[in-house]
Amino acid sequence: MMVGTKRQSSSSSSLIKRSIWIIAFVFVLSFFLVVAYYYQPKLKASQKGCYSTQGCGTNTNDVQLIKVEDNKEEEVELVPRELTDEEMESRVVVKDILRLQNLQPKKPKVAFMFLTQGSLPFEKLWHMFFSGHEGKFSVYVHASRETPIHFSNYFIGRDIHSEPVAWGKFSMVEAEKRLLGNALLDPDNQHFVLLSESCVPVRPFQFVYKYLLFSNVSFLDCYLDLGPHGNGRYIDYMMPEVEEKDFRKGSQWFTMKRQHALIVMADNLYLRKFRDHCRPGMEGGRNCYSDEHYFPTFFHMIDPGGISNWSVTYVDWSEGKWHPRSFTAEEVNNRFLEALTSIDVCPHITSDEKRTIRFTPCMWKGSRRPCYLFARKFFPETLDNLVALFSNYSTLL
Ligand SMILES: *[C@@H]1O[C@H](CO)[C@@H](O)[C@H](O)[C@H]1NC(C)=O
Ligand SMILES: *[C@@H]1O[C@H](CO)[C@@H](O)[C@H](O)[C@H]1NC(C)=O
Ligand SMILES: *[C@@H]1O[C@H](CO)[C@@H](O)[C@H](O)[C@H]1NC(C)=O
């Protein structure tokens, strides 16, 4: 609010005096209006319904003003919100990319993108995994802390430019985009897999290759969690583009078909929403982690039928801690691997008090199939066991 400048009035004319009073009154009134505008209580968008292009929650009565033509008592949800220019432009691009005929190259490849801090403790295992399948894959490593020391020729020279990545921060999403961008440069790459240094393959290469390339979806985890670690991280500042009813959660370890990777490159609108309003320690004292929400929410909004809603990377959250369980050498044996690879439903646990577990059946081209191609997290000490077990992988085909 600007401070009004004092006006010297030498004239004693009552007209001027009255004008001053009116100006002063208007100042005070507009001051109160501005204060009232900023301090009015925020509405929970999903409950109240807000479909104004001018931004939401400015007036509780706005909602009642939206009426359906025939005066019937209709759900407000049915009234389509007018899209902003940017939203309209974004949808045009997304729609055309999704409509593109998939130009299958002669030799389609799977891009394995490793998001690591430094060296890969399981490089030896990955080397065995890739061995004999040259020409069907490419490897990219984004090492955010120290330059990795590679010994496998599948990894040597595959480090891309990297930036520091902090756990839970937006730099994580930026690193994922950097990996996708680099991998998209190769037109033969048709499917893109994000992995960490604590991920291991639990199937032979041929199985993984077919599973990913012959499916028509991206294996992206996506579920609704109404608890504090799900929608509790949502904030109305993401309106109008991202409404709470569309907010989703999911593991960051995705696989993506080429069209989806291109859409990620093209998106700036939703990316900005998450970058500015989904961070640790953001407005309202909330902690939000974009790497768990941006892709699930974005793809749920733009192509819900194009994502699997579960991840092909196994992880054990059953302990309910901040980080998933890491497996030790004693636990990693043939029985463990057989059990893991026969799972064909994916559990999603909500973070509310009820801790509801919902099981999503893993469907591959219309039929129920085992869910997992990769698994995390493993202590480096498990390497020898995993290498010994690898010869048994072929029996898991
Ligand atoms: C994923 O879930 C959405 C609903 O959230 C659904 O529309 C979509 O069909 C699901 N995807 C698959 C492949 O079943
Ligand atoms: C993928 O394939 C399944 C079964 O073949 C089909 O029902 C589904 O609509 C397809 N999805 C997409 C996004 O093309
Ligand atoms: C491989 O599988 C066979 C038969 O299931 C089992 O006897 C053997 O112990 C397994 N190898 C390892 C290294 O666990």
Side-chain angles (χ1 to χ4, degrees):
M1 217 35 221
M2 272 172 49
V3 178
T5 45
K6 267 190 199 156
R7 278 203 201 155
Q8 288 284 343
S9 169
S10 50
S11 160
S12 56
S13 139
S14 64
L15 186 68
I16 290 178
K17 263 191 188 161
R18 213 179 299 148
S19 320
I20 291 170
W21 274 110
I22 291 171
I23 290 167
F25 176 73
V26 168
F27 258 108
V28 170
L29 183 67
S30 43
F31 176 76
F32 277 111
L33 284 177
V34 169
V35 167
Y37 176 84
Y38 280 106
Y39 288 90
Q40 44 120 9
K42 281 243 146 218
L43 293 184
K44 271 282 175 197
S46 63
Q47 289 148 12
K48 303 286 181 190
C50 170
Y51 295 86
S52 145
T53 46
Q54 268 76 45
C56 285
T58 52
N59 187 343
T60 357
N61 295 326
D62 280 353
V63 177
Q64 275 94 54
L65 292 177
I66 299 171
K67 283 258 163 69
V68 184
E69 293 288 70
D70 58 8
N71 267 347
K72 265 191 216 151
E73 285 286 320
E74 293 265 5
E75 286 275 325
V76 176
E77 302 261 329
L78 293 179
V79 182
R81 179 171 60 80
E82 195 181 332
L83 300 182
T84 64
D85 286 347
E86 263 191 302
E87 283 177 288
M88 187 270 293
E89 289 155 15
S90 155
R91 279 174 206 213
V92 166
V93 173
V94 165
K95 224 167 131 186
D96 252 36
I97 294 176
L98 288 177
R99 255 206 312 250
L100 284 176
Q101 283 301 314
N102 218 6
L103 295 172
Q104 277 291 331
K106 277 217 180 73
K107 277 199 162 181
K109 291 195 281 190
V110 174
F112 291 83
M113 311 181 302
F114 292 88
L115 184 55
T116 76
Q117 297 188 353
S119 295
L120 290 121
F122 300 111
E123 194 171 303
K124 188 175 169 188
L125 183 67
W126 285 106
H127 182 89
M128 290 173 77
F129 172 81
F130 290 131
S131 231
H133 304 285
E134 288 78 2
K136 291 185 169 170
F137 66 89
S138 38
V139 170
Y140 302 86
V141 181
H142 182 291
S144 58
R145 200 173 287 173
E146 54 202 46
T147 313
I149 299 158
H150 299 301
F151 71 88
S152 160
N153 48 1
Y154 301 129
F155 286 84
I156 291 167
R158 304 306 300 171
D159 294 309
I160 66 161
H161 165 78
S162 70
E163 297 283 340
V165 171
W167 184 83
K169 295 264 178 75
F170 201 75
S171 51
M172 187 77 90
V173 173
E174 287 166 340
E176 293 174 5
K177 274 194 80 166
R178 199 171 294 122
L179 275 164
L180 279 174
N182 276 272
L184 277 163
L185 286 171
D186 183 343
D188 289 341
N189 286 334
Q190 293 297 308
H191 210 103
F192 303 78
V193 184
L194 184 70
L195 298 153
S196 80
E197 63 254 75
S198 61
C199 289
V200 303
V202 296
R203 296 283 189 176
F205 182 88
Q206 261 327 96
F207 187 100
V208 170
Y209 184 81
K210 283 188 201 153
Y211 200 101
L212 297 178
L213 278 187
F214 296 167
S215 95
N216 56 358
V217 298
S218 292
F219 294 96
L220 184 68
D221 193 29
C222 175
Y223 66 103
L224 179 66
D225 175 3
L226 295 175
H229 302 313
N231 280 31
R233 295 172 178 172
Y234 176 82
I235 197 157
D236 285 351
Y237 291 115
M238 290 186 147
M239 300 282 277
E241 293 89 348
V242 182
E243 297 172 28
E244 191 180 345
K245 70 175 171 58
D246 292 323
F247 198 66
R248 290 294 181 281
K249 183 175 177 169
S251 153
Q252 84 185 99
W253 308 106
F254 61 77
T255 84
M256 230 178 243
K257 53 183 185 178
R258 191 170 177 98
Q259 285 168 322
H260 283 169
L262 276 175
I263 289 171
V264 169
M265 292 300 109
D267 177 50
N268 190 35
L269 172 60
Y270 297 95
L271 174 98
R272 224 171 44 228
K273 282 281 155 170
F274 281 86
R275 186 195 58 205
D276 296 347
H277 303 297
C278 182
R279 295 186 312 256
M282 58 169 202
E283 316 99 321
R286 296 170 202 222
N287 287 319
C288 188
Y289 306 97
S290 277
D291 54 278
E292 291 184 352
H293 298 284
Y294 168 43
F295 290 150
T297 306
F298 181 47
F299 284 103
H300 171 74
M301 289 175 70
I302 60 153
D303 192 19
I307 57 171
S308 62
N309 300 319
W310 46 274
S311 167
V312 288
T313 299
Y314 174 84
V315 70
D316 183 1
W317 281 109
S318 64
E319 290 181 344
K321 296 189 182 152
W322 269 110
H323 292 281
R325 192 155 82 91
S326 288
F327 299 106
T328 61
E330 283 148 32
E331 295 170 282
V332 176
N333 54 35
N334 214 45
R335 221 177 45 232
F336 169 86
L337 205 61
E338 271 176 8
L340 200 162
T341 49
S342 59
I343 298 170
D344 63 359
V345 286
C346 170
H348 286 127
I349 310 171
T350 63
S351 61
D352 51 13
E353 277 158 26
K354 286 187 227 146
R355 290 184 61 77
T356 317
I357 304 187
R358 279 205 187 78
F359 291 95
T360 309
C362 296
M363 304 296 285
W364 188 86
K365 290 187 117 182
S367 52
R368 188 98 160 246
R369 293 292 289 279
C371 305
Y372 302 116
L373 305 177
F374 313 104
R376 59 193 277 270
K377 300 176 114 179
F378 292 84
F379 285 115
E381 59 173 41
T382 56
L383 177 65
D384 290 343
N385 284 15
L386 287 163
V387 165
L389 281 168
F390 189 83
S391 51
N392 270 10
Y393 281 24
S394 53
T395 65
L396 299 169
L397 266 168

